[in-house]
Amino acid sequence: MSFDNHEQIVFCNDKDTGLKAIIGIHNTVLGPALGGTRMWNYTSEWEALNDVLRLSRGMTYKSAITGLNLGGGKAVLIGDAKTQKTPELMLKFGEFVHSLGGKYITAEDVGMATSDMDLVRTVTPYVTGISESKGGAGNPSPITAYGVFMGMKAAAKYTFGSELLEDKVIYVQGIGNVGEALVENLSNEGAKVYISDINQERLEEVRDKYSVEIYGGSNLYAEKMDIYAPCALGATINDFTINQLNTKIIAGAANNQLAEEQKHGKMLREKGIVYAPDFLINAGGIINVYAELENYDRKEIMRKTENIYNTTLEILKKADNDNITTHQAAFNIAQARIDARKSEK
Ligand SMILES: NC(=O)c1ccc[n+]([C@@H]2O[C@H](COP(=O)([O-])OP(=O)(O)OC[C@H]3O[C@@H](n4cnc5c(N)ncnc54)[C@H](O)[C@@H]3O)[C@@H](O)[C@H]2O)c1
């Protein structure tokens, strides 16, 4: 169901290292398909395939709306990153990436660290998100978080008339690499932050570091809040959660937050919840890794990421003017850029 004219899907298997991966290349009209590698304990290959199809497609539109000359791709590794990720497995995966000759360029995503990309770099140049000490732009997560912060501020400006998040009640779901950095930005601004995660140790660590509160209830979606920030996995906005949501804004880092883009985008609009499209506001990471290909510096990375504020505000207004969902408004602009390049070609 998630096939959307994907250009190429590659299944990678290696018995010796236990590697089971799928690389999804959605679209390469604007440039090589760049997108991170996710390692997750999928319950089946179908689940992994579905994820890579959705994620790679998302990357196409993320790069397009951000104005980058990149296509959309993504890779998923099937397995537990904590127990099954070995150097041998990562190197084998790098060889598969290399075999695509640059059509797909990888980076880190859930379950991956900068050091994993450094390892992949020893077998292929088609990798980004490598350490600064090795000439890369380093961990993209803090930049992703900063972009989400900018998008959230734009949504606040649009909804409350002020971009200031001081005293706003914000629930951050998932406090991994991006979530934690977002919590830091939010607590610096004086927001009232609640955190939730399936990892109790991390919850306590982040709570102690930023003086935020751990959410102790059993159904976060029904809590009254100003902003819900999904920063774990996708599809948390679905038939089940949407009717319970008691928030004014949704703005977070997770990819593919809407389980069904059209249907759930519309339901949010009808409920009066302002949704900052995920692929628009979580583009900081790709802006950061793109710097490795285009050789721009930190200042330019921050300028481009800060601009997410302007683009988000524009999109929210455009959705209102055109009476369409915010997701559709962002999508239309991205698609127009791809179509224009295609006809130039
Ligand atoms: N890292 C980036 O630069 C980047 C860029 C764009 C988008 N994203 C997206 O942002 C999200 C987070 O990425 P990350 O790099 O921080 O990943 P991460 O693996 O570092 O963190 C994910 C966190 O979510 C938690 N989690 C998982 N399931 C959960 C659940 N059901 N409820 C609550 N918490 C749960 C995990 O325990 C973990 O702490 C992902 O969807 C990713 O695709 C990341």
Side-chain angles (χ1 to χ4, degrees), residues 3 22 30 40 59 74 76 91 97 157 162 176 204 206 217 226 230-231 238 244 254-255 288 302 315 324 327 332:
F3 269 107
I22 312 174
L30 293 176
W40 192 252
M59 292 311 293
K74 201 91 179 180
V76 295
L91 291 172
V97 170
K157 172 84 182 162
S162 164
E204 285 163 20
V206 171
D226 294 304
C231 296
N238 53 46
Q244 307 180 49
N255 284 308
N288 191 60
M302 295 316 283
I315 295 284
I324 53 176
H327 186 277
N332 290 352

Side-chain angles (χ1 to χ4, degrees), residues 125-151:
Y126 306 126
V127 52
T128 54
I130 54 177
S131 310
E132 283 173 283
S133 60
K134 297 207 158 43
N139 178 10
S141 302
I143 312 290
T144 301
Y146 186 61
V148 171
F149 183 54
M150 288 295 113

Side-chain angles (χ1 to χ4, degrees), residues 26-202:
H26 176 251
N27 189 293
T28 55
V29 170
L30 293 176
L34 195 153
T37 296
R38 172 173 293 189
M39 187 158 188
W40 192 252
N41 217 352
Y42 294 101
T43 51
S44 68
E45 286 184 20
W46 282 112
E47 197 195 356
L49 175 62
N50 192 51
D51 211 25
V52 81
L53 289 171
R54 280 168 61 85
L55 290 166
S56 56
R57 176 177 178 271
M59 292 311 293
T60 298
Y61 296 105
K62 186 185 304 198
S63 285
I65 194 138
T66 310
L68 311 179
N69 288 321
L70 291 173
K74 201 91 179 180
V76 295
L77 304 190
I78 302 172
D80 186 336
K82 280 205 192 101
T83 56
Q84 289 170 280
K85 189 172 68 179
T86 60
E88 294 75 25
L89 182 138
M90 288 311 300
L91 291 172
K92 197 60 176 176
F93 172 66
E95 286 174 21
F96 276 106
V97 170
H98 192 68
S99 73
L100 294 169
K103 194 171 177 187
Y104 169 66
I105 301 174
T106 197
E108 52 270 83
D109 190 59
V110 176
M112 288 289 143
T114 312
S115 53
D116 296 313
M117 296 305 118
D118 291 346
L119 208 52
V120 171
R121 181 68 184 83
T122 62
V123 291
T124 181
Y126 306 126
V127 52
T128 54
I130 54 177
S131 310
E132 283 173 283
S133 60
K134 297 207 158 43
N139 178 10
S141 302
I143 312 290
T144 301
Y146 186 61
V148 171
F149 183 54
M150 288 295 113
M152 198 182 267
K153 277 177 155 298
K157 172 84 182 162
Y158 175 82
T159 311
F160 308 121
S162 164
E163 70 198 41
L164 289 180
L165 299 174
E166 197 182 354
D167 295 330
K168 291 282 178 276
V169 176
I170 305 177
Y171 279 63
V172 181
Q173 181 186 40
I175 40 146
N177 292 316
V178 182
E180 180 182 347
L182 178 64
V183 167
E184 185 178 6
N185 283 303
L186 295 175
S187 70
N188 285 344
E189 184 145 324
K192 179 113 195 60
V193 180
Y194 292 86
I195 54 175
S196 97
D197 202 290
I198 49 175
N199 183 336
Q200 187 61 28
E201 229 173 90
R202 261 204 80 70

